[in-house]
Amino acid sequence: MSSRLLRQACAASARHRFGCRPQARASASTAGVACDAAGDPAPTPKQLRAHALQSGVPMVGFGIVDCVVMTQVGSTIDTVLGASLGISAMTAAAIGLFFSDSCGVLFGGTIESFASRLGLPRSELTIQQLESAKAKRWATLGRLFGVQLGVILGSVSLLLRPSDANKAKPSSMPADHLGQAP
């Protein structure tokens, strides 16, 4: 069977299964599911929300790992190596980013595996529906909100760190000049 005939058979099967009629032949009075040009049913709002949730939940984990590792490693490097090696705070942050990105790659499979076991609703989208612009937009928004939520949650670790205000900062002026105008 040629690929064109196979596509037509699949489209006919989807139209039959979902009560879908191609838009060109459907009138305003026909009841049915909206279809795209190939005859595939358009994703429902419920499917799109489930798809966004499935895309976003793993990103919450990525955001938490990214934020915690970057801030904690960057801060530790700044504190430990900053003074002794003369590393700037921005260099320490870049090193923290290096470690957080590495952890994201190393723990990515574990985070996704955990997210898949949460029992989230399944979108049940077809391959054609997943490739639609609308489904891609919803997945991107889910990932965006997921990583933003994860970074906010990961930022809580900053509250648990001792503040820098309690540390005495060394003066750059010699002791005999303290209190005198330069």
Side-chain angles (χ1 to χ4, degrees), residues 28-172:
S29 63
T30 58
V33 178
C35 297
D36 64 8
D40 291 323
T44 65
K46 183 178 178 180
Q47 286 178 308
L48 292 171
R49 283 190 300 272
H51 185 50
L53 189 64
Q54 288 174 340
S55 300
V57 167
M59 296 309 290
V60 174
F62 288 122
I64 291 170
V65 168
D66 187 51
C67 186
V68 169
V69 172
M70 183 172 54
T71 56
Q72 299 305 314
V73 170
S75 179
T76 302
I77 288 173
D78 186 37
T79 302
V80 173
L81 298 178
S84 61
L85 297 179
I87 294 175
S88 70
M90 289 304 293
T91 302
I95 294 169
L97 179 64
F98 171 82
F99 280 100
S100 73
D101 287 347
S102 299
C103 286
V105 171
L106 292 172
F107 298 122
T110 303
I111 292 170
E112 288 177 349
S113 174
F114 177 74
S116 70
R117 287 184 265 144
L118 291 176
L120 298 173
R122 298 181 52 86
S123 66
E124 303 296 336
L125 293 172
T126 66
I127 293 171
Q128 290 81 13
Q129 289 171 327
L130 286 170
E131 292 174 357
S132 72
K134 194 174 212 177
K136 288 179 181 179
R137 255 191 320 272
W138 277 80
T140 299
L141 287 174
R143 288 189 294 268
L144 174 67
F145 291 134
V147 79
Q148 288 174 339
L149 177 62
V151 168
I152 290 169
L153 293 173
S155 296
V156 171
S157 70
L158 294 173
L159 300 174
L160 305 175
R161 249 185 112 70
S163 78
D164 293 333
N166 296 337
K167 296 178 185 174
K169 293 187 178 184
S171 173
S172 62

